[in-house]
Short mmCIF file of all heavy atoms in Angstrom, two decimals:
data_model
loop_
_atom_site.label_atom_id
_atom_site.label_comp_id
_atom_site.label_asym_id
_atom_site.label_seq_id
_atom_site.Cartn_x
_atom_site.Cartn_y
_atom_site.Cartn_z
N TYR S 1 0.85 0.59 9.38
CA TYR S 1 1.40 0.37 8.02
C TYR S 1 2.79 -0.27 8.11
O TYR S 1 3.47 -0.12 9.13
CB TYR S 1 1.39 1.62 7.17
CG TYR S 1 2.60 2.54 7.39
CD1 TYR S 1 3.65 2.45 6.51
CD2 TYR S 1 2.66 3.42 8.44
CE1 TYR S 1 4.77 3.28 6.65
CE2 TYR S 1 3.76 4.22 8.57
CZ TYR S 1 4.79 4.14 7.68
OH TYR S 1 5.86 4.96 7.85
N ASP S 2 3.14 -0.91 7.03
CA ASP S 2 4.51 -1.49 6.90
C ASP S 2 5.03 -1.02 5.55
O ASP S 2 4.29 -0.79 4.62
CB ASP S 2 4.45 -3.03 6.86
CG ASP S 2 4.01 -3.60 8.19
OD1 ASP S 2 4.42 -3.08 9.22
OD2 ASP S 2 3.25 -4.63 8.21
N SER S 3 6.38 -0.97 5.47
CA SER S 3 6.96 -0.58 4.15
C SER S 3 8.19 -1.41 3.91
O SER S 3 8.90 -1.83 4.81
CB SER S 3 7.39 0.91 4.16
OG SER S 3 8.48 1.13 4.96
N ILE S 4 8.39 -1.72 2.62
CA ILE S 4 9.57 -2.46 2.15
C ILE S 4 10.14 -1.67 0.96
O ILE S 4 9.42 -1.33 0.04
CB ILE S 4 9.16 -3.85 1.69
CG1 ILE S 4 8.54 -4.65 2.87
CG2 ILE S 4 10.37 -4.61 1.14
CD1 ILE S 4 7.99 -5.99 2.44
N SER S 5 11.44 -1.44 1.02
CA SER S 5 12.12 -0.68 -0.03
C SER S 5 13.11 -1.57 -0.74
O SER S 5 13.83 -2.38 -0.09
CB SER S 5 12.84 0.54 0.50
OG SER S 5 11.90 1.45 1.04
N TYR S 6 13.19 -1.46 -2.07
CA TYR S 6 14.14 -2.17 -2.86
C TYR S 6 15.06 -1.16 -3.52
O TYR S 6 14.62 -0.21 -4.13
CB TYR S 6 13.49 -3.03 -3.92
CG TYR S 6 12.66 -4.16 -3.34
CD1 TYR S 6 11.28 -4.07 -3.25
CD2 TYR S 6 13.24 -5.31 -2.90
CE1 TYR S 6 10.54 -5.08 -2.70
CE2 TYR S 6 12.53 -6.36 -2.32
CZ TYR S 6 11.18 -6.22 -2.26
OH TYR S 6 10.45 -7.24 -1.71
N ASP S 7 16.38 -1.39 -3.36
CA ASP S 7 17.39 -0.50 -3.96
C ASP S 7 17.31 -0.52 -5.47
O ASP S 7 17.50 0.51 -6.13
CB ASP S 7 18.77 -0.84 -3.48
CG ASP S 7 18.95 -0.53 -2.03
OD1 ASP S 7 18.28 0.34 -1.51
OD2 ASP S 7 19.81 -1.21 -1.36
N LYS S 8 17.11 -1.71 -6.04
CA LYS S 8 17.07 -1.84 -7.47
C LYS S 8 15.79 -1.15 -8.01
O LYS S 8 14.67 -1.58 -7.77
CB LYS S 8 17.03 -3.31 -7.88
CG LYS S 8 17.20 -3.52 -9.34
CD LYS S 8 17.25 -5.03 -9.66
CE LYS S 8 17.42 -5.23 -11.11
NZ LYS S 8 17.53 -6.68 -11.46
N GLY S 9 16.00 -0.05 -8.68
CA GLY S 9 14.86 0.71 -9.30
C GLY S 9 14.20 1.69 -8.34
O GLY S 9 13.34 2.43 -8.76
N GLY S 10 14.58 1.71 -7.08
CA GLY S 10 14.01 2.65 -6.11
C GLY S 10 12.53 2.45 -5.85
O GLY S 10 11.80 3.42 -5.61
N ILE S 11 12.07 1.22 -5.88
CA ILE S 11 10.61 0.91 -5.71
C ILE S 11 10.39 0.62 -4.23
O ILE S 11 11.13 -0.06 -3.59
CB ILE S 11 10.22 -0.28 -6.59
CG1 ILE S 11 10.38 0.10 -8.04
CG2 ILE S 11 8.80 -0.71 -6.26
CD1 ILE S 11 10.15 -1.03 -9.03
N THR S 12 9.27 1.18 -3.75
CA THR S 12 8.87 0.94 -2.35
C THR S 12 7.44 0.39 -2.35
O THR S 12 6.55 0.84 -3.09
CB THR S 12 8.88 2.29 -1.52
OG1 THR S 12 10.21 2.83 -1.63
CG2 THR S 12 8.52 2.06 -0.09
N TYR S 13 7.23 -0.58 -1.45
CA TYR S 13 5.87 -1.13 -1.25
C TYR S 13 5.36 -0.72 0.12
O TYR S 13 6.08 -0.84 1.10
CB TYR S 13 5.90 -2.66 -1.33
CG TYR S 13 6.21 -3.22 -2.72
CD1 TYR S 13 7.48 -3.42 -3.13
CD2 TYR S 13 5.15 -3.51 -3.57
CE1 TYR S 13 7.76 -3.94 -4.37
CE2 TYR S 13 5.39 -4.03 -4.80
CZ TYR S 13 6.71 -4.25 -5.22
OH TYR S 13 6.93 -4.72 -6.49
N LEU S 14 4.15 -0.30 0.18
CA LEU S 14 3.46 0.03 1.44
C LEU S 14 2.20 -0.81 1.63
O LEU S 14 1.48 -1.04 0.67
CB LEU S 14 3.05 1.52 1.46
CG LEU S 14 4.08 2.54 1.26
CD1 LEU S 14 3.45 3.95 1.19
CD2 LEU S 14 5.06 2.53 2.43
N LYS S 15 1.98 -1.25 2.85
CA LYS S 15 0.71 -1.95 3.15
C LYS S 15 0.11 -1.20 4.34
O LYS S 15 0.67 -1.14 5.43
CB LYS S 15 1.00 -3.38 3.53
CG LYS S 15 -0.29 -4.17 3.82
CD LYS S 15 0.02 -5.62 4.13
CE LYS S 15 -1.28 -6.37 4.40
NZ LYS S 15 -1.04 -7.74 4.77
N GLY S 16 -1.06 -0.60 4.09
CA GLY S 16 -1.74 0.19 5.14
C GLY S 16 -3.04 -0.45 5.55
O GLY S 16 -3.78 -0.92 4.70
N ILE S 17 -3.29 -0.46 6.84
CA ILE S 17 -4.55 -0.95 7.38
C ILE S 17 -5.31 0.25 7.94
O ILE S 17 -4.79 1.03 8.73
CB ILE S 17 -4.33 -1.93 8.58
CG1 ILE S 17 -3.42 -3.05 8.13
CG2 ILE S 17 -5.66 -2.48 9.08
CD1 ILE S 17 -3.96 -4.00 7.08
N PHE S 18 -6.53 0.45 7.46
CA PHE S 18 -7.38 1.60 7.83
C PHE S 18 -8.61 1.15 8.56
O PHE S 18 -8.88 -0.07 8.67
CB PHE S 18 -7.80 2.40 6.59
CG PHE S 18 -6.65 2.86 5.77
CD1 PHE S 18 -6.13 2.08 4.74
CD2 PHE S 18 -6.09 4.10 5.99
CE1 PHE S 18 -5.06 2.53 3.96
CE2 PHE S 18 -5.02 4.55 5.22
CZ PHE S 18 -4.51 3.80 4.23
N GLU S 19 -9.41 2.09 9.06
CA GLU S 19 -10.66 1.73 9.75
C GLU S 19 -11.61 1.02 8.80
O GLU S 19 -12.35 0.15 9.27
CB GLU S 19 -11.29 2.99 10.32
CG GLU S 19 -10.60 3.62 11.46
CD GLU S 19 -11.25 4.87 11.93
OE1 GLU S 19 -11.88 5.59 11.11
OE2 GLU S 19 -11.11 5.19 13.12
N ARG S 20 -11.68 1.42 7.58
CA ARG S 20 -12.71 0.85 6.67
C ARG S 20 -12.11 0.11 5.48
O ARG S 20 -12.76 -0.11 4.48
CB ARG S 20 -13.52 1.98 6.11
CG ARG S 20 -14.35 2.72 7.18
CD ARG S 20 -15.25 3.79 6.62
NE ARG S 20 -15.71 4.67 7.69
CZ ARG S 20 -15.17 5.83 7.95
NH1 ARG S 20 -14.19 6.30 7.27
NH2 ARG S 20 -15.65 6.51 8.95
N GLY S 21 -10.86 -0.34 5.59
CA GLY S 21 -10.28 -1.09 4.52
C GLY S 21 -8.78 -1.22 4.61
O GLY S 21 -8.16 -0.89 5.62
N LYS S 22 -8.15 -1.66 3.50
CA LYS S 22 -6.72 -1.80 3.48
C LYS S 22 -6.22 -1.46 2.07
O LYS S 22 -7.02 -1.52 1.10
CB LYS S 22 -6.24 -3.17 3.87
CG LYS S 22 -6.74 -4.30 3.03
CD LYS S 22 -6.32 -5.65 3.61
CE LYS S 22 -6.90 -6.79 2.80
NZ LYS S 22 -6.49 -8.08 3.31
N ALA S 23 -4.96 -1.12 1.98
CA ALA S 23 -4.40 -0.74 0.66
C ALA S 23 -2.95 -1.26 0.57
O ALA S 23 -2.20 -1.20 1.55
CB ALA S 23 -4.41 0.76 0.48
N ILE S 24 -2.58 -1.67 -0.62
CA ILE S 24 -1.22 -2.01 -0.93
C ILE S 24 -0.76 -1.04 -2.05
O ILE S 24 -1.41 -0.97 -3.06
CB ILE S 24 -1.07 -3.48 -1.38
CG1 ILE S 24 -1.55 -4.42 -0.27
CG2 ILE S 24 0.35 -3.77 -1.78
CD1 ILE S 24 -1.58 -5.86 -0.67
N VAL S 25 0.31 -0.32 -1.80
CA VAL S 25 0.76 0.69 -2.72
C VAL S 25 2.21 0.39 -3.19
O VAL S 25 3.02 0.08 -2.35
CB VAL S 25 0.75 2.10 -2.08
CG1 VAL S 25 1.22 3.17 -3.07
CG2 VAL S 25 -0.62 2.44 -1.49
N LYS S 26 2.42 0.47 -4.49
CA LYS S 26 3.77 0.28 -5.04
C LYS S 26 4.07 1.64 -5.69
O LYS S 26 3.31 2.11 -6.55
CB LYS S 26 3.76 -0.80 -6.12
CG LYS S 26 5.05 -0.97 -6.84
CD LYS S 26 4.92 -2.07 -7.91
CE LYS S 26 6.15 -2.17 -8.72
NZ LYS S 26 6.02 -3.17 -9.80
N PHE S 27 5.22 2.25 -5.31
CA PHE S 27 5.53 3.61 -5.88
C PHE S 27 7.03 3.79 -6.02
O PHE S 27 7.78 3.08 -5.46
CB PHE S 27 4.89 4.66 -5.01
CG PHE S 27 5.58 4.89 -3.70
CD1 PHE S 27 6.54 5.82 -3.57
CD2 PHE S 27 5.23 4.11 -2.59
CE1 PHE S 27 7.17 6.05 -2.33
CE2 PHE S 27 5.86 4.32 -1.35
CZ PHE S 27 6.84 5.29 -1.27
N LYS S 28 7.33 4.80 -6.78
CA LYS S 28 8.69 5.29 -6.91
C LYS S 28 8.65 6.79 -6.56
O LYS S 28 7.72 7.51 -7.03
CB LYS S 28 9.14 5.10 -8.42
CG LYS S 28 10.56 5.24 -8.63
CD LYS S 28 10.89 4.85 -10.06
CE LYS S 28 12.37 4.72 -10.19
NZ LYS S 28 12.68 4.26 -11.57
N GLU S 29 9.55 7.26 -5.74
CA GLU S 29 9.53 8.62 -5.28
C GLU S 29 9.50 9.61 -6.44
O GLU S 29 10.39 9.54 -7.34
CB GLU S 29 10.72 8.94 -4.37
CG GLU S 29 10.63 8.31 -3.04
CD GLU S 29 11.78 8.64 -2.14
OE1 GLU S 29 12.44 9.62 -2.41
OE2 GLU S 29 11.96 7.91 -1.14
N GLY S 30 8.55 10.48 -6.45
CA GLY S 30 8.44 11.50 -7.50
C GLY S 30 8.01 10.92 -8.84
O GLY S 30 8.23 11.56 -9.91
N GLY S 31 7.41 9.76 -8.79
CA GLY S 31 6.99 9.10 -10.04
C GLY S 31 5.58 8.52 -9.95
O GLY S 31 4.75 9.01 -9.24
N GLU S 32 5.39 7.41 -10.68
CA GLU S 32 4.08 6.83 -10.72
C GLU S 32 3.88 5.87 -9.52
O GLU S 32 4.82 5.35 -8.95
CB GLU S 32 3.91 6.01 -12.00
CG GLU S 32 3.92 6.85 -13.26
CD GLU S 32 3.86 6.02 -14.50
OE1 GLU S 32 4.11 4.80 -14.41
OE2 GLU S 32 3.58 6.57 -15.57
N ALA S 33 2.61 5.73 -9.15
CA ALA S 33 2.24 4.80 -8.06
C ALA S 33 0.99 4.07 -8.47
O ALA S 33 0.12 4.59 -9.23
CB ALA S 33 2.02 5.59 -6.76
N ILE S 34 0.85 2.86 -7.91
CA ILE S 34 -0.38 2.07 -8.12
C ILE S 34 -0.81 1.52 -6.76
O ILE S 34 0.03 1.06 -6.01
CB ILE S 34 -0.14 0.94 -9.20
CG1 ILE S 34 -1.45 0.26 -9.49
CG2 ILE S 34 0.91 0.00 -8.74
CD1 ILE S 34 -1.43 -0.62 -10.71
N ALA S 35 -2.11 1.57 -6.52
CA ALA S 35 -2.61 1.10 -5.20
C ALA S 35 -3.76 0.10 -5.49
O ALA S 35 -4.59 0.33 -6.37
CB ALA S 35 -3.15 2.26 -4.42
N LEU S 36 -3.73 -1.00 -4.74
CA LEU S 36 -4.82 -1.93 -4.75
C LEU S 36 -5.55 -1.72 -3.42
O LEU S 36 -4.98 -1.87 -2.36
CB LEU S 36 -4.25 -3.37 -4.84
CG LEU S 36 -5.28 -4.50 -4.80
CD1 LEU S 36 -6.21 -4.39 -6.03
CD2 LEU S 36 -4.60 -5.84 -4.78
N VAL S 37 -6.84 -1.36 -3.52
CA VAL S 37 -7.59 -0.97 -2.36
C VAL S 37 -8.78 -1.97 -2.16
O VAL S 37 -9.47 -2.33 -3.10
CB VAL S 37 -8.18 0.44 -2.54
CG1 VAL S 37 -9.00 0.85 -1.33
CG2 VAL S 37 -7.04 1.43 -2.75
N LYS S 38 -8.93 -2.36 -0.92
CA LYS S 38 -10.06 -3.26 -0.55
C LYS S 38 -10.81 -2.60 0.60
O LYS S 38 -10.23 -2.33 1.68
CB LYS S 38 -9.60 -4.65 -0.14
CG LYS S 38 -10.75 -5.60 0.26
CD LYS S 38 -10.29 -6.96 0.40
CE LYS S 38 -11.29 -8.00 0.78
NZ LYS S 38 -12.65 -7.78 0.84
N LYS S 39 -12.08 -2.35 0.43
CA LYS S 39 -12.93 -1.74 1.46
C LYS S 39 -13.62 -2.86 2.24
O LYS S 39 -14.04 -3.84 1.68
CB LYS S 39 -13.97 -0.81 0.87
CG LYS S 39 -13.35 0.49 0.36
CD LYS S 39 -14.37 1.48 -0.02
CE LYS S 39 -14.94 2.19 1.23
NZ LYS S 39 -15.80 3.28 0.95
N TYR S 40 -13.74 -2.66 3.58
CA TYR S 40 -14.44 -3.62 4.41
C TYR S 40 -15.91 -3.29 4.36
O TYR S 40 -16.31 -2.16 4.15
CB TYR S 40 -13.99 -3.51 5.88
CG TYR S 40 -12.51 -3.86 6.06
CD1 TYR S 40 -11.77 -3.19 6.98
CD2 TYR S 40 -11.91 -4.88 5.35
CE1 TYR S 40 -10.47 -3.46 7.24
CE2 TYR S 40 -10.57 -5.20 5.59
CZ TYR S 40 -9.86 -4.46 6.53
OH TYR S 40 -8.54 -4.76 6.77
N LYS S 41 -16.75 -4.31 4.62
CA LYS S 41 -18.22 -4.05 4.69
C LYS S 41 -18.56 -3.40 6.01
O LYS S 41 -19.53 -2.63 6.07
CB LYS S 41 -18.95 -5.40 4.57
CG LYS S 41 -18.81 -5.96 3.16
CD LYS S 41 -19.59 -7.25 3.03
CE LYS S 41 -19.35 -7.84 1.66
NZ LYS S 41 -20.05 -9.08 1.50
N ARG S 42 -17.78 -3.64 7.04
CA ARG S 42 -18.01 -3.02 8.36
C ARG S 42 -16.81 -2.21 8.74
O ARG S 42 -15.71 -2.46 8.28
CB ARG S 42 -18.19 -4.13 9.42
CG ARG S 42 -19.48 -4.89 9.20
CD ARG S 42 -19.55 -5.88 10.33
NE ARG S 42 -20.95 -6.11 10.64
CZ ARG S 42 -21.37 -6.92 11.58
NH1 ARG S 42 -20.47 -7.57 12.32
NH2 ARG S 42 -22.65 -7.09 11.83
N THR S 43 -17.02 -1.28 9.63
CA THR S 43 -15.91 -0.45 10.15
C THR S 43 -15.12 -1.27 11.17
O THR S 43 -15.65 -1.86 12.04
CB THR S 43 -16.46 0.82 10.83
OG1 THR S 43 -17.18 1.52 9.84
CG2 THR S 43 -15.35 1.73 11.31
#
């Protein structure tokens, strides 16, 4: 995974690679988060 943090607004972006897919997550600590998830057809 990789992460990028922005001081303005305290927003962090995460990009994770998994065995069966990948996800991009935008979140604020102790607040709301949104994830865009893509599953692979193969492992």
Side-chain angles (χ1 to χ4, degrees):
Y1 84 98
D2 294 321
S3 74
I4 299 172
S5 297
Y6 293 102
D7 292 332
K8 187 176 182 180
I11 295 173
T12 304
Y13 290 89
L14 301 175
K15 181 178 181 183
I17 307 294
F18 302 91
E19 290 177 331
R20 296 182 197 100
K22 61 184 175 180
I24 298 173
V25 181
K26 176 183 175 183
F27 73 94
K28 195 171 193 179
E29 288 184 17
E32 296 175 344
I34 186 167
L36 178 63
V37 179
K38 179 170 180 7
K39 288 188 79 171
Y40 299 142
K41 292 181 182 178
R42 294 181 148 182
T43 301

